[in-house]
Amino acid sequence: MGLFGNRRRWRAKEPKRERPGGSPPAMAALLRALVLLMFGILLVQLINLQVINGADYRQRAEINAIREVPEPAARGLIYDRNGRLLVENTARFSVAIVPGDLPDRGEAAVYRLISPVINVPVPEIEAKV
């Protein structure tokens, strides 16, 4: 028989009542509408960034790939005791090729463009890269 007799403690005395109309409450419908609205806003922004303004952002990214590394001069101008200039600073430039930034098919064209500027033959550039 058990400790409590025939009484079943885990069941309610009255059966559960169904909600009238069988539809979700207004708060759940409002929440669902809000979530759909937010996803719609995100979708519109994604289309704006990728499709409408995608070419502009791609061009900005390509321009951003140029890296300028300023290096201050190790020394300044050097004069003798009479005030005559002995040594002056001159500009020097260096070229760095990052293989990841090269186009998939067209490395040779980039090497041909760089070669006359830095006075290094194309095969030597290819060997170094």
Side-chain angles (χ1 to χ4, degrees):
M1 258 278 137
L3 191 61
F4 296 109
N6 289 333
R7 200 169 123 196
R8 299 173 122 184
R9 293 186 57 106
W10 59 87
R11 286 193 181 175
K13 291 182 182 178
E14 296 179 16
K16 232 182 200 180
R17 290 187 220 160
E18 299 276 334
R19 290 193 176 129
S23 64
M27 192 65 161
L30 181 65
L31 183 63
R32 184 178 297 136
L34 182 65
V35 168
L36 288 174
L37 177 69
M38 296 303 278
F39 275 112
I41 291 171
L42 287 174
L43 182 67
V44 168
Q45 186 63 19
L46 176 69
I47 291 170
N48 181 31
L49 290 173
Q50 292 287 326
V51 178
I52 298 171
N53 295 326
D56 183 42
Y57 288 125
R58 181 177 292 119
Q59 182 183 14
R60 287 183 185 186
E62 288 173 0
I63 291 171
N64 195 23
I66 298 173
R67 297 176 188 96
E68 291 185 16
V69 182
E71 291 187 21
R75 57 174 168 71
L77 301 173
I78 299 176
Y79 296 97
D80 68 357
R81 65 180 173 184
N82 298 324
R84 195 178 73 208
L85 183 65
L86 295 175
V87 179
E88 63 181 333
N89 295 331
T90 58
R92 295 185 80 189
F93 299 98
S94 63
V95 175
I97 298 175
V98 179
D101 291 342
L102 290 173
D104 292 334
R105 295 181 180 148
E107 298 97 353
V110 174
Y111 301 152
R112 282 194 304 271
L113 286 172
I114 294 173
S115 178
V117 175
I118 61 174
N119 295 326
V120 176
V122 175
E124 191 176 333
I125 296 173
E126 287 177 352
K128 287 183 179 182
V129 172

